[in-house]
Amino acid sequence: VGMANTAEIQEGIIAAVTSKLGDNTDEEQQFFSMSQQFKKSKVTGEQFVQYSIQTLGKEIAGVVLPQIILLLAKFPERQEALHQAIEQTKAAMEAQAAGQAQDRVQPSSGMDPDNRAGSLRLATYNVLKPSITECIVAADKRFPYILSQLLPSLHADVIGLNEVTRRFELAAMELSRGELIVDPTSNQEHYCALLCHIPVLERHTFRLPQTNRRAVAAMVCKAERRFIVCAVHLLAYERNTAARQAQLSSLSRVLDEGEGCSDEWRGLVQTAQVCIMGDFNFHSPGENVAIWENGYVDVWRELRGASARAERQGLSWQGSRCWWLPFDDRAMRLDRVILGAKSTARPVSIELFGAPAIPQARCCGALDWLFPVYPSDHLGLVMELELDGAHENPRPRYVAQPYELSESCRPFQGRTFREIVCMRIGAVVLAVVGLARLAFLCAAPRSRL
């Protein structure tokens, strides 16, 4: 029932918006861009109405709502659910406008705000986008678990998210208590986002060089201190090492100097503390030096050390967890949290999270112990910063370790991607040849056997 008549509801809302407002405003363009994305997603009519109101804004949506309500008369069986979605969304927007939406910025149950008033807790997580192999990645099981159990258990003030899709965004609207910041103009299959549980003062997005991906940054306020937090997803694969270095350098100039930005943003970043976090896609330990060269500190390396053992403890992506990726035995520290040189906050802890499989979640109808469903193919990072008092964070001298000196861009453990692809192609060829041989033998006359 949830999917019934969804296409007609979508077209009706779009027609109502067009007839009332035209197609020249920024809100219109944003709404139509969102509509095209939703047409390709598995969303219900109720979710479409709810997101339409939030996207258009309260004043503009008020003009269109009468048209939407008239539209509902065509679907009697849907009226109650659609009306409820509209009323809930309007009430939430009115409460937010009146400054009464305190519940959105309060920590989830189990958090003691008094004990954390002088600290800032940040996390980063790649949520693994849905794919054509839906029965394998099981987004319908993973997204509710991530939003309702995994992320709230972190008690984080700001969470950077990678590989967010419209489907995840809709789930976050229903299950998350924080403010989800995305790039509203993005037409990418997946993108970055920030889930904030503390007041947000400024929001910006920045396009990364050599790709259409954009980094999402927000200036947040905690204990009367301002902090710029940025979620980023750099290009993958070994061949893009130079591109990743260029992307990180470009982003650091934007966040440290305001390069290519407005005068207002340049004024904000002059004295701001900066944290960049996300999926850096560093495929080899030798790429670690790029962080230091741009004037940043790798928090994991700062707190856990630079030894090979510390590097192994921070491996956030392991092919052994991805049973649907044959022959992939790579292990890499893809996910990072780095602090700018101007930061006076002191990092006190950093941990990995998200390792256990989702309890009782099944894939393809099989037993959960046979094909476990993990929250993501990545592990996440959660870090705590101490804000009380001025703390000097001198950039440590970078000393290359033996495991970082390899000339070839190989992962810390395992094969290269080229070797993995060759093995997969070889396995497919052998399987095809074997099946062809078997079919030939089955079709041949018994005398030839």
Side-chain angles (χ1 to χ4, degrees), residues 251-273:
L251 185 60
S252 65
R253 290 194 298 271
V254 168
L255 296 177
D256 295 339
E257 306 167 11
E259 182 181 279
C261 300
S262 64
D263 293 338
E264 181 183 3
W265 179 256
R266 281 197 292 269
L268 291 173
V269 302
Q270 291 302 318
T271 58
Q273 304 182 64

Side-chain angles (χ1 to χ4, degrees), residues 197-322:
H197 295 89
I198 56 177
V200 177
L201 306 179
E202 295 284 343
R203 304 163 180 81
H204 289 274
T205 62
F206 311 101
R207 184 180 178 275
L208 300 176
Q210 304 185 40
T211 181
N212 289 325
R213 293 181 182 177
R214 300 181 72 89
V216 177
M219 177 172 283
V220 298
C221 182
K222 180 75 179 288
E224 299 183 354
R225 292 172 174 82
R226 297 185 176 187
F227 220 96
I228 294 178
V229 182
C230 180
V232 67
H233 191 181
L234 305 182
L235 285 175
Y237 303 118
E238 291 98 335
R239 65 177 183 270
N240 290 321
T241 301
R244 285 191 289 273
Q245 294 177 354
Q247 290 174 350
L248 186 58
S249 298
S250 173
L251 185 60
S252 65
R253 290 194 298 271
V254 168
L255 296 177
D256 295 339
E257 306 167 11
E259 182 181 279
C261 300
S262 64
D263 293 338
E264 181 183 3
W265 179 256
R266 281 197 292 269
L268 291 173
V269 302
Q270 291 302 318
T271 58
Q273 304 182 64
V274 179
C275 175
I276 304 176
M277 54 188 181
D279 183 356
F280 282 32
N281 268 315
F282 283 180
H283 280 55
S284 72
E287 295 185 71
N288 291 339
V289 69
I291 296 174
W292 181 84
E293 288 176 340
N294 286 286
Y296 281 74
V297 173
D298 186 336
V299 176
W300 183 272
R301 192 183 181 107
E302 183 75 359
L303 294 179
R304 298 300 186 97
S307 66
R309 180 182 179 183
E311 188 80 7
R312 281 193 295 270
Q313 291 174 342
L315 300 175
S316 61
W317 191 94
Q318 300 183 40
S320 58
R321 288 168 50 91
C322 307

Side-chain angles (χ1 to χ4, degrees), residues 119-144:
S119 66
L120 180 67
R121 195 166 173 86
L122 306 175
T124 178
Y125 195 49
N126 186 317
V127 300
L128 180 58
K129 66 182 185 298
S131 67
I132 56 175
T133 55
E134 176 61 26
C135 62
I136 295 177
V137 299
D140 60 325
K141 301 179 179 67
R142 295 188 301 105
F143 288 174

Side-chain angles (χ1 to χ4, degrees), residues 30 46 59 72 84 91 97 150 152 214 220 262 268-269 281 310 318 347 376 380 383 388 426 437-438:
Q30 177 179 336
E46 288 82 357
E59 295 181 1
L72 304 186
Q84 185 177 5
L150 182 60
R214 300 181 72 89
V220 298
S262 64
L268 291 173
V269 302
N281 268 315
Q318 300 183 40
S376 174
M383 171 194 69
D388 291 338
R437 179 63 177 168
L438 180 62

